[in-house]
Amino acid sequence: MSADPAEQRIADLVSRRFGIIMRARHAATVCAALHDRAARRGQNFRQYIEVLEAGGSHEDKDHLIAQVTTNVTVFYREPHHFDSLRRHVMDLPKDRAVRCWSAGCSTGEEPWSALTTIAPLLSEEKRDLLLVLGTDIDAAALAKARAGLYPLKALDEIPLSSRLYFEVSGGNVMPHRKLRPLMRIRTLNLIEPFPFEAQFDAIFCRNTLIYFAPDQRQDVVRRLTARLRPGGLLMLGHSETLHHLPDGLEPAGLTTYRRVE
Ligand SMILES: C[S@@+](CC[C@H](N)C(=O)[O-])C[C@H]1O[C@@H](n2cnc3c(N)ncnc32)[C@H](O)[C@@H]1O
């Protein structure tokens, strides 16, 4: 709870729309940025809050999201998840589609890591059976994920065995162009109903739910579980261990869960 009623209105709005619970200190920083934006539009802060509460423009929404989200990510973060993913895909029947979803993918390092983990396991002619979906609410982060261009120092995050699947060009590192058609990057707000029926062999939802209220977190985990194929894996962030497993989910390693067959 914030003592400042304007900050509280913003905190309520952010929690209602995006599921994110803002800490008081964070709310003050976010409100300062919104204050500046209101002033540039010739509005006072209260008028701008009303604009946001009424929905605002795409730009207003994107600006607000950029203020409240944390986009920190790296390639192959928590490598044990990629080891589990590799083992899981190796055990799948050959000749059937492999689907992986990175929900809360930020600037894309996570879905690209998943893609470059799975692709080598499929023969060239079977590669188009693979599809990796990366989703997020942050439009600016998604634009980077889609572009797939990263500074050269990102190479340090990529294990030697996977570097073959990246190219260096114009001072950037990027996933190999042959892999690009296997990636879909889309906007998706996790607290809204998922706009597709697909089921996945693996879902990464890491370091995203920690910003949500516990009931919201549980609801998202339950809905993600329903999107796993039987035997499919759900990977959460290092501090997101589930203490109450939803029906149909069992532990399968460190912050890794399996949908019961
Ligand atoms: C810290 S990043 C995690 C990136 C990556 N999963 C990882 O672990 O490295 C958290 C991401 O969650 C996204 N996010 C926050 N609330 C969201 C929501 N309601 N729906 C979808 N994505 C959300 C943010 O935009 C941000 O990019």
Side-chain angles (χ1 to χ4, degrees):
M1 281 297 257
S2 171
D4 180 308
E7 280 180 18
Q8 190 57 52
R9 276 171 75 181
I10 294 293
D12 290 345
L13 177 72
V14 167
S15 147
R16 216 169 39 246
R17 294 261 170 84
F18 316 127
I20 298 170
I21 304 298
M22 292 198 294
R23 311 250 170 276
R25 230 183 42 207
H26 189 196
T29 319
V30 170
C31 286
L34 298 178
H35 217 284
D36 288 351
R37 186 169 167 88
R40 281 199 299 279
R41 296 159 57 112
Q43 288 176 317
N44 68 39
F45 187 34
R46 270 163 221 292
Q47 287 169 324
Y48 189 50
I49 293 179
E50 277 159 28
V51 169
L52 292 176
E53 284 173 338
S57 65
H58 280 306
E59 291 76 21
D60 293 326
K61 191 173 154 200
D62 287 348
H63 176 264
L64 178 60
I65 288 172
Q67 306 313 310
V68 300
T69 52
T70 307
N71 298 119
V72 178
T73 185
V74 293
F75 283 102
Y76 288 89
R77 188 177 198 179
E78 296 170 66
H80 63 95
H81 283 152
F82 297 95
D83 295 338
S84 302
L85 176 67
R86 187 177 300 108
R87 283 195 301 273
H88 181 62
V89 172
M90 281 170 71
D91 285 347
L92 291 177
K94 308 295 168 228
D95 298 327
R96 84 134 163 84
V98 180
R99 298 281 179 263
C100 177
W101 179 13
S102 162
C105 70
S106 187
T107 43
E109 286 85 338
E110 182 177 272
W112 286 116
S113 301
L115 202 158
T116 51
T117 297
I118 305 172
L121 306 175
L122 308 174
S123 61
E124 291 261 355
E125 57 282 10
K126 297 278 160 59
R127 284 246 169 103
D128 54 1
L129 288 173
L130 168 61
L131 198 71
V132 175
L133 172 67
T135 65
D136 203 283
I137 41 164
D138 188 329
L142 287 176
K144 291 186 184 167
R146 204 169 280 122
L149 283 181
Y150 300 93
L152 269 188
K153 63 178 164 38
L155 268 184
D156 297 340
E157 301 159 10
I158 301 170
L160 281 177
S161 56
S162 299
R163 288 198 192 164
L164 180 64
Y165 299 95
F166 291 84
E167 303 174 44
V168 172
S169 168
N172 291 299
V173 56
M174 53 192 194
H176 198 286
R177 66 197 74 212
K178 279 205 278 194
L179 300 181
R180 289 175 167 253
L182 309 179
M183 175 69 78
R184 298 281 181 282
I185 300 290
R186 299 279 184 269
T187 304
L188 183 144
N189 184 346
L190 281 167
I191 70 164
E192 293 175 358
F194 304 144
F196 48 69
E197 297 296 328
Q199 286 203 311
F200 297 86
D201 298 291
I203 300 177
F204 288 71
C205 186
R206 307 187 306 169
N207 308 300
T208 296
L209 300 179
I210 33 166
Y211 302 106
F212 289 15
D215 53 343
Q216 192 71 262
R217 209 178 294 163
Q218 268 180 15
D219 179 62
V220 176
V221 168
R222 188 184 51 74
R223 290 187 296 117
L224 290 176
T225 302
R227 292 320 177 93
L228 283 171
R229 285 179 169 151
L233 297 178
L234 174 66
M235 331 282 196
L236 301 181
H238 55 88
S239 57
E240 297 171 317
T241 303
L242 293 177
H243 300 294
H244 304 287
L245 286 180
D247 283 349
L249 210 58
E250 64 180 17
L254 192 60
T255 54
T256 306
Y257 301 89
R258 182 185 298 107
R259 175 154 177 196
V260 179
E261 309 257 351

